[in-house]
Amino acid sequence: MFEWLGISQQALFGQLLVGLINGAFYATLSLGLAVIFGLLNIVNFAHGAQYMMGAFVAWMGLNYLGIDYWWSLILAPLAVGLVGILLELTLLRRLYKLDHLYGLLLTFGLALIIEGGFRQAYGISGERYDIPEALNGAFNLGFMFLPKYRGWVVAASLIVCLLTWLVIERTKLGAYLRAGTENPKLLQAFGVNVPVMVTLTYGLGAALAAFGGVLAAPIFQVNAVMGSNILIIVFAVVVIGGLGSIIGSIVTGIALGLIEGLTKVFYPEGSSVVIFVIMAIVLIVRPAGLFGKEK
Amino acid sequence: MFKFKVVAAALAGAASAWLAPSAIAQSGKMSDGVVKIGVQTDLSGIYSDLAGQGSVLAAKMAAEDFGGKVNGVPIEVIAGDTQNKPDVASNMARRWFDEDKVDMIVDLPGSAAALAAVKVAKEKNRIAMVSSGGTTRLTNEDCTDRTVHWAYDTYALANGTARAVTQQGGDTWFFITPDYAFGHSMEKDASEAIKAAGGKVLGSVRHPFPGSDFSTYLLQAQSSGAKVIGLANAASDMMTTIKQANEFGISPKQRLASMIVMITDIHAMGLKTAQGLLSTDGFYWDLNDETRAWSKRFFERHKRMPTMIQAGVYSATLHYLKSIKAAGTDEAGAVMAKIKATPVNDFFAKNGKVRADGRMVHDMLLTQVKSPAESKYPWDYYKVLKVIPGDQAYMPVSKSVCPLNKK
């Protein structure tokens, strides 16, 4: 069916599946960014560093304390979330009255410091993290071998995306969060402790990044710059989806993973650019993003 | 009697007058009363593990092992971070030569930065000894009579691996290549060597640099059915590709051959991931007693075994100091004549020779990464499959476009 494109149907399915895997991954990462921007109005440039810290905490847990992958999936996001909370309480909090740009600069600076620290300690080549025993091997799908671990990444990402979406769109807590985004002063007048909510939200965003980092650790080399490599794509996902839109991040993440996967098949040289071309077009046609609301 | 005294005094005066200028000339042969070696390296970026502080240490060890002095003046080693940027490298070189009395710069990671720095060295009549930067341009279109290229170049690595692996039966190839000049030239050099050895290149894919996920390209390599997947990418891109090849069950069914890999990369990946990987290296610490003795001294101070680049910095610096001693001066032209006239014999190279174009030709090693079971002690990473003689590994003079070869 697709032979005229110079590629067999089997190969195409294989590439689409790889695209889906990457897309699920982008969705998880952009989710935290969207949550933070939605409520705090901060463009969290430290997101990549928090993702990297998640991977490193998992590595440290395994090598220094013998904590296995499954516990790390819970503990690493908790640890990084706590660091995020500390950052919010001590630094970010002071910037809410100022322009967005200050938050961006602060988090960008923090990211550079954190990455520099890890590079100093672990070198640029980084460390390796093996795939957990239970997920070694692959499923034979007929048209390709799907590594079990990749299958797990898709499942775990989709579950986390769904849970986050449910919490924010379908629970009372989520309603407060959304109200806080619209009008924090009014919400505070109703007796909701907005500052605590803001702190916890930043912690949640950081924890989501760290969760992505733990998922990524067995696929990529765990090193200090792993976050900055992927952050820029994740930002594009958030911008295309609509800044602050949860569902926008999820849908766009997956869609862009697929599009990027297809580009890699037909014109690999363009695969790093295609996402930004789409971003530019979306910004021209719908400046608030596909799912964003114009203010 | 009196007469004699006068004559003697006159003679003595004449003698001292005759001796004095020569004494002045003697110290004038060693400019500034110091031999200063500047290690231009990458202290914070992507090459900081394979060069970086290890290169600085290697240069210091060479100065110490030489006795700390040459022709009566002290040897000093300074270091600077070029961030692999050409403008930073050339400004630093200019400042070092003009103000800081630096006589020789060494290491020079990142081909663009290296090319920029060697131009300044030529302009200021000082010597540049490149150990990190890999481009063959340094000894071809951009060669100068003040440049020496020491540890390896991209031609020797690509050509060495491609030819040896093809000859050993890996005669069909698929390339995964980063989409920039370095990657293209690696793929081109390797493809020529494969064809010359009777092999075939079935296809290649060019990925954006830096890349993040390589599974798409690996699936293409898999469906090509090639026996060998050639990786023209380096450092973290290469490590991720190898890791994902394992994940998708592509290696070890298809063999992976890397065009450029350092022992620090293997250390970071671990043997479980890297096992079976074929590549060419300019140096392996565990080759013989001499390499082990030096490398263990290096390890005690650096906590990592040396890469070919770091060992190359030591070897180049030592050869430079020996050449100053033999020349009796630190004037660049005279020292360079000695550098090229003297064979290089140390733990790094046996009968190495610096050609007219500045290429230091020495034997290279075709290596295969051991499996975890084969590795008996820390850093026991390589099986040396073959020693590739220098004249087969490096680009022959007949192919070089450097005008210095024609003199």
Side-chain angles (χ1 to χ4, degrees), chain A residues 15 18 22 119 123-126 128-131 144-145 147 150 217-221 264-265 268-269 271-272, chain B residues 44-46 48-49 179 205-206 208 212-213 215-217 219-220 236 239-240 243-244 247-248 268-270 272:
Chain A
Q15 303 298 1
V18 167
N22 285 336
R119 191 175 50 211
I124 195 73
S125 316
R128 82 201 146 93
Y129 193 93
D130 290 334
I131 292 173
M144 73 174 284
F145 280 92
R150 297 283 178 130
I219 301 184
F220 303 104
Q221 185 75 3
K264 279 181 180 170
V265 178
E269 288 90 336
S271 61
S272 63
Chain B
S44 54
I46 53 169
S48 51
D49 279 354
D179 192 20
V205 59
R206 288 179 174 174
S212 53
D213 188 74
S215 29
T216 310
Y217 317 123
L219 290 178
Q220 292 180 32
S236 92
M239 289 192 248
T240 308
K243 202 170 180 178
Q244 296 183 342
E247 201 193 342
F248 280 84
M269 273 187 280
K272 198 176 153 209

